[in-house]
Amino acid sequence: MIKTRIIPVLLMKNRGLYKGIKFKNHKYVGDPINTVRIFNEKEVDELIIFDIEASKANKSIDFDYLKEVVSEAFMPIGYGGGIKSVKDAENLFKIGIEKVILNTHAILNFQLIKELVKNFGSQSVVFSLDYKKTFFNGYKVFIKSGTKKTSYKPEDIASIMEDLGAGEIILNDIDRDGTFNGYNIEMIKEISSNLSIPLIACGGARNLKDFKMAKDAGASACAAGSMFVFHMPHRAVVISYPRYEELKKVLGEN
Amino acid sequence: MQEFIDLLREKLVEINEKPKRCKRCLMDETAEGIVFTETGCNYCDEFLKILDNPPKKINLSLEELVNKVKKDGRNKPYDCIVGLSGGVDSSYTLVKVKELGLRPLAVHMDNGWDSELAANNIKNLVENLGVDLYTHVIDWDEYRQLMQAFFDADVIDIELLYDNAMLAVCYQQANKYGLKYILAGTNSSTEGMILPRNWNWFKWDKKNIKNLAKLKRIKIKTFPAIGTLDKIYYEFVKGIKWISFLDYLPSYNKFEALEALQKQFNYKPYPYKHYESVFTRFYQGFILPVKFGVDKRKNHLSTLILTNQMKKEDAIKTLQEIPYPTEQELKDDIEYFLKKMNWTKDDLKDYLQRPEKPHKQYGSEISLWNFFKEIYKKINK
């Protein structure tokens, strides 16, 4: 086990996997079941799956299909997308999801996080903080797969979610998503220094050094999508995950 | 699951132990049109002839070919295409092509059945060699429907879908960059023994694919089919040549290639040819023998016997075993296959019991292909 968790993120829509740039222009990259199987054989410690349409299109969660996907995996899976109620979360845990990840409905209804934490414990409730720089007002938090701006600043919502009991925060920079420009290190530093719960860096990872930089800035874990799915320059799909020895070396862990 | 494994064992005895076998290679009476000769059979006689003098698309030495590819590719982002499945032949081709100073674009086709081995090998190779990669990902739902249409039709060559699409993608990419050469891992040394007519189907059959899709009202959106006329267009109008690259090397030995790949590229080997795709190994290792009475290993192993890479006794021993390292791995593949195709065990049983139907029954362009082949032969006399 590596102390700094390195987590692949898969984006799902209509039972297919997609990958975009800055939360837009999503391109089909493959079949979720086969991809999870490959990550499984690569002995990935943890996986995150986001349904990128569920909240945006107000769809219900595709439990049947998720069950199929989860049954292919040996590693714990965090799932986000369209979670509206305690019942939704309960059904997700039933099919083998380890952590529920909230964004839209956590912001629309602060009580939801509180109830989830009360029912299932902090360790299984994660808040996904999607943020973007806006033209006039600096960084703002977004919901509905990055399509709707809120009035919250990232640092404020992070602290609210921590107070509500969320066990972890995924800090996702929309402007860096899929760009291979590296994580937003400043933001990771700022948010993590005011948090006592773990922070997962997300958005922009291009190489192993980025993981080290995020770790040094205060991230407990690093998530990446494109880096584990694409080979540049043609964004050719080929699933990959670094070997443990490489990760340990670059992260300076023994 | 055990009943499926018992079925496979039974079937292997039936198709590998009773039929009369060639005295030199492993080909036997399950191969249509086999004629036993004094030395062996028509399959191995023919193979040895090919091996002595592999038919080359362009009659040049390796050095001349490399220079020609370089020259024709000058001022272009790449000078050739290498189709990359993650298997030994295509991987080794990419390594050699790069070593010889060429500038390839590696092209991969993802049909939703890639194994971790394939993904690992492709990633390591392109990264270590510094080669650009292009992947064509076929929408899995569309591909699954096409496969289902092939299963429902009870035709033998389900892999026609993969092989045809791979051909299509290579030609498309060559065309896109104005390249003249597709350097392929196809080769005489391990593949030069002609497959019996009843063991697979003609790979350029776009009509067959489209007709089977039409029967099931499947809309083809991302599947890149290629047919006779496309081939003529690419080869003769655009001048794109498909070249069996390994035939140009002084001696291609699969085991040596494997060793080199493992040493230099952390390459993960797998037990049988074409096992880089989960479906391909399930198809060759289970469906072909059980439903169609075909054990393709006879062909692959025969080429190894004839090129002195394997002893015949060892090859015969291999044939007595299931084409899987362990029963458990076969069980895992059956379960995975059922899940991916959304089949029940009974669906599989039912499929295995139904008799084979010919591809031609659904419409084919093989006669069109043969017609043009005859014309081409006459012109080139």
Side-chain angles (χ1 to χ4, degrees):
Chain A
M1 266 311 228
I2 289 168
K3 278 176 237 143
T4 312
R5 293 166 292 144
I6 306 296
I7 312 166
V9 179
L10 303 176
L11 307 182
M12 210 168 81
K13 177 167 97 171
N14 299 329
R15 304 187 169 189
L17 288 184
Y18 289 79
K19 191 69 200 81
I21 298 172
K22 302 183 182 183
F23 281 31
K24 282 184 196 141
N25 301 324
H26 288 99
K27 173 187 163 186
Y28 181 79
V29 295
D31 167 39
I33 291 181
N34 208 53
T35 306
V36 167
R37 182 186 164 102
I38 292 176
F39 276 124
N40 203 30
E41 287 182 37
K42 288 188 176 295
E43 297 175 18
V44 167
D45 286 332
E46 194 174 332
L47 207 62
I48 289 174
I49 297 176
F50 284 123
D51 187 318
I52 53 172
E53 260 207 342
S55 279
K56 202 167 69 180
N58 205 15
K59 280 185 176 174
S60 48
I61 302 167
D62 193 348
F63 291 107
D64 292 340
Y65 187 65
L66 270 176
K67 193 177 170 183
E68 296 267 287
V69 175
V70 173
S71 70
E72 204 50 53
F74 292 140
M75 77 292 260
I77 293 184
Y79 168 82
I83 303 168
K84 291 195 199 78
S85 63
V86 172
K87 184 82 192 147
D88 282 343
E90 194 184 333
N91 287 335
L92 287 167
F93 292 129
K94 258 189 211 155
I95 60 171
I97 294 288
E98 188 117 333
K99 291 175 186 176
V100 290
I101 306 171
L102 285 96
N103 164 258
T104 307
H105 297 285
I107 289 189
L108 297 178
N109 170 16
F110 284 170
Q111 284 310 306
L112 181 56
I113 289 263
K114 233 180 174 171
E115 280 175 43
L116 291 174
V117 170
K118 196 173 86 193
N119 280 278
F120 311 108
S122 274
Q123 79 291 339
S124 49
V125 182
V126 183
F127 176 67
S128 177
L129 196 170
D130 300 346
Y131 69 96
K132 192 160 100 170
K133 208 170 202 169
T134 59
F135 205 70
F136 292 113
N137 298 311
Y139 289 110
K140 289 285 181 194
V141 174
F142 280 69
I143 57 172
K144 300 202 171 185
S145 294
T147 56
K148 197 166 182 291
K149 191 172 78 178
T150 71
S151 56
Y152 297 103
K153 287 182 183 169
E155 59 271 29
D156 295 338
I157 209 78
S159 133
I160 291 172
M161 289 301 157
E162 179 174 24
D163 292 345
L164 290 168
E168 266 182 311
I169 286 181
I170 300 174
L171 185 63
N172 200 354
D173 189 325
I174 297 173
D175 290 325
R176 288 171 182 261
D177 171 63
T179 62
F180 288 91
N181 285 334
Y183 292 120
N184 186 336
I185 298 298
E186 285 311 309
M187 187 63 90
I188 295 170
K189 263 187 203 156
E190 190 189 331
I191 303 281
S192 66
S193 62
N194 291 311
L195 276 185
S196 51
I197 53 173
L199 179 92
I200 304 172
C202 192
R206 72 201 128 177
N207 57 35
L208 301 185
K209 282 182 199 144
D210 286 335
F211 298 151
K212 170 77 170 139
M213 281 166 73
K215 180 194 170 183
D216 292 346
S220 308
C222 300
S226 298
M227 188 185 151
F228 299 140
V229 172
F230 289 133
H231 181 263
M232 297 310 273
H234 297 299
R235 293 189 166 258
V237 176
V238 53
I239 302 299
S240 69
Y241 190 75
R243 286 180 298 136
Y244 277 115
E245 306 86 77
E246 288 176 89
L247 281 177
K248 276 187 176 172
K249 204 169 131 193
V250 83
L251 293 168
E253 294 180 5
N254 296 311
Chain B
M1 288 301 145
Q2 193 56 45
E3 56 183 318
F4 290 117
I5 291 166
D6 296 340
L7 191 63
L8 173 63
R9 287 200 183 279
E10 253 170 60
K11 197 72 195 182
L12 287 176
V13 171
E14 187 188 314
I15 62 175
N16 288 342
E17 291 187 5
K18 281 176 213 152
K20 194 181 162 202
R21 181 182 287 153
C22 168
K23 58 185 172 191
R24 185 163 55 195
C25 72
L26 298 184
M27 297 306 283
D28 60 27
E29 282 174 309
T30 60
E32 192 180 298
I34 192 162
V35 178
F36 297 105
T37 61
E38 262 178 43
T39 43
C41 68
N42 52 337
Y43 287 99
C44 58
D45 286 350
E46 193 59 33
F47 174 66
L48 287 173
K49 265 190 241 159
I50 291 173
L51 206 56
D52 275 347
N53 192 13
K56 288 180 179 171
K57 188 60 109 2
I58 304 175
N59 199 14
L60 293 175
S61 70
L62 177 63
E63 199 189 337
E64 289 164 339
L65 175 73
V66 168
N67 287 336
K68 193 167 165 51
V69 174
K70 275 184 190 166
K71 192 169 152 248
D72 292 353
R74 226 181 271 156
N75 303 323
K76 289 180 181 162
Y78 309 103
D79 53 25
C80 58
I81 297 287
V82 174
L84 188 61
S85 65
V88 186
D89 297 335
S90 67
S91 298
Y92 194 67
T93 301
L94 187 67
V95 171
K96 280 286 157 193
V97 161
K98 186 75 186 167
E99 252 176 42
L100 289 160
L102 296 174
R103 297 177 294 118
L105 170 66
V107 171
H108 179 62
M109 219 266 306
D110 178 345
N111 66 346
W113 288 100
D114 269 353
S115 64
E116 192 274 326
L117 296 174
N120 171 72
N121 292 340
I122 291 169
K123 175 83 178 173
N124 279 341
L125 279 166
V126 293
E127 219 162 68
N128 289 327
L129 292 169
V131 167
D132 287 355
L133 174 73
Y134 168 80
T135 309
H136 183 102
V137 186
I138 300 182
D139 183 277
W140 165 245
D141 191 48
E142 182 179 334
Y143 200 80
R144 188 186 56 75
Q145 290 182 50
L146 286 170
M147 287 182 80
Q148 186 63 49
F150 271 59
F151 286 124
D152 290 343
D154 293 306
V155 290
I156 189 169
D157 204 342
I158 325 277
E159 287 288 80
L160 171 55
L161 289 169
Y162 178 90
D163 295 333
N164 184 278
M166 186 65 194
L167 289 168
V169 174
C170 285
Y171 278 97
Q172 280 171 4
Q173 288 299 306
N175 193 33
K176 181 178 167 187
Y177 293 101
L179 311 179
K180 303 283 181 208
Y181 306 95
I182 299 168
L183 305 181
T186 41
N187 68 93
S188 300
S189 162
T190 68
E191 299 178 325
M193 183 178 281
I194 289 157
L195 277 176
R197 261 171 298 167
N198 60 329
W199 284 17
N200 70 352
W201 185 242
F202 157 66
K203 300 292 185 186
W204 294 87
D205 213 337
K206 179 156 91 177
K207 187 175 174 186
N208 199 238
I209 296 171
K210 293 222 154 155
N211 282 0
L212 282 164
K214 220 187 286 167
L215 265 182
K216 295 279 162 181
R217 295 165 196 266
I218 301 163
K219 275 201 184 133
I220 292 188
K221 286 176 282 183
T222 61
F223 185 87
I226 191 168
T228 309
L229 297 175
D230 304 306
K231 160 102 172 165
I232 291 172
Y233 171 74
Y234 286 132
E235 285 264 342
F236 299 100
V237 179
K238 292 292 189 160
I240 302 169
K241 300 274 171 274
W242 180 281
I243 292 168
S244 295
F245 183 74
L246 297 174
D247 285 345
Y248 288 82
L249 301 182
S251 63
Y252 175 58
N253 177 305
K254 194 186 137 173
F255 295 103
E256 284 168 21
L258 197 58
E259 211 182 300
L261 288 169
Q262 280 173 281
K263 260 191 201 153
Q264 293 173 48
F265 300 98
N266 208 8
Y267 185 88
K268 290 189 193 170
Y270 27 84
Y272 300 106
K273 192 171 167 61
H274 295 317
Y275 272 30
E276 57 268 23
S277 142
V278 182
F279 178 70
T280 306
R281 74 181 180 218
F282 182 62
Y283 171 68
Q284 292 193 4
F286 183 80
I287 292 178
L288 268 186
V290 176
K291 182 170 167 97
F292 299 97
V294 169
D295 188 345
K296 263 191 165 178
R297 290 178 301 174
K298 289 174 198 166
N299 183 282
H300 296 149
L301 293 169
S302 291
T303 64
L304 294 178
I305 295 169
L306 291 161
T307 51
N308 298 319
Q309 299 184 59
M310 195 174 197
K311 281 187 188 152
K312 192 176 176 187
E313 308 92 82
D314 295 338
I316 290 173
K317 267 184 218 148
T318 305
L319 277 192
Q320 286 159 356
E321 287 304 315
I322 59 166
Y324 269 87
T326 62
E327 282 195 359
Q328 189 54 48
E329 279 168 79
L330 173 55
K331 279 180 194 165
D332 291 346
D333 272 8
I334 297 173
E335 264 168 29
Y336 189 59
F337 171 79
L338 296 178
K339 180 194 259 183
K340 282 268 289 187
M341 292 305 299
N342 209 1
W343 282 19
T344 61
K345 272 188 199 174
D346 285 337
D347 291 334
L348 179 58
K349 258 191 238 169
D350 180 50
Y351 168 68
L352 294 171
Q353 276 163 7
R354 293 197 308 259
E356 177 181 354
K357 286 181 187 158
H359 278 268
K360 259 194 172 165
Q361 178 175 331
Y362 301 97
S364 164
E365 55 185 273
I366 193 162
S367 22
L368 181 70
W369 175 270
N370 288 336
F371 171 73
F372 280 113
K373 213 163 100 182
E374 280 310 308
I375 294 180
Y376 180 73
K377 265 192 209 158
K378 274 182 194 154
I379 296 171
N380 280 285
K381 244 182 191 173

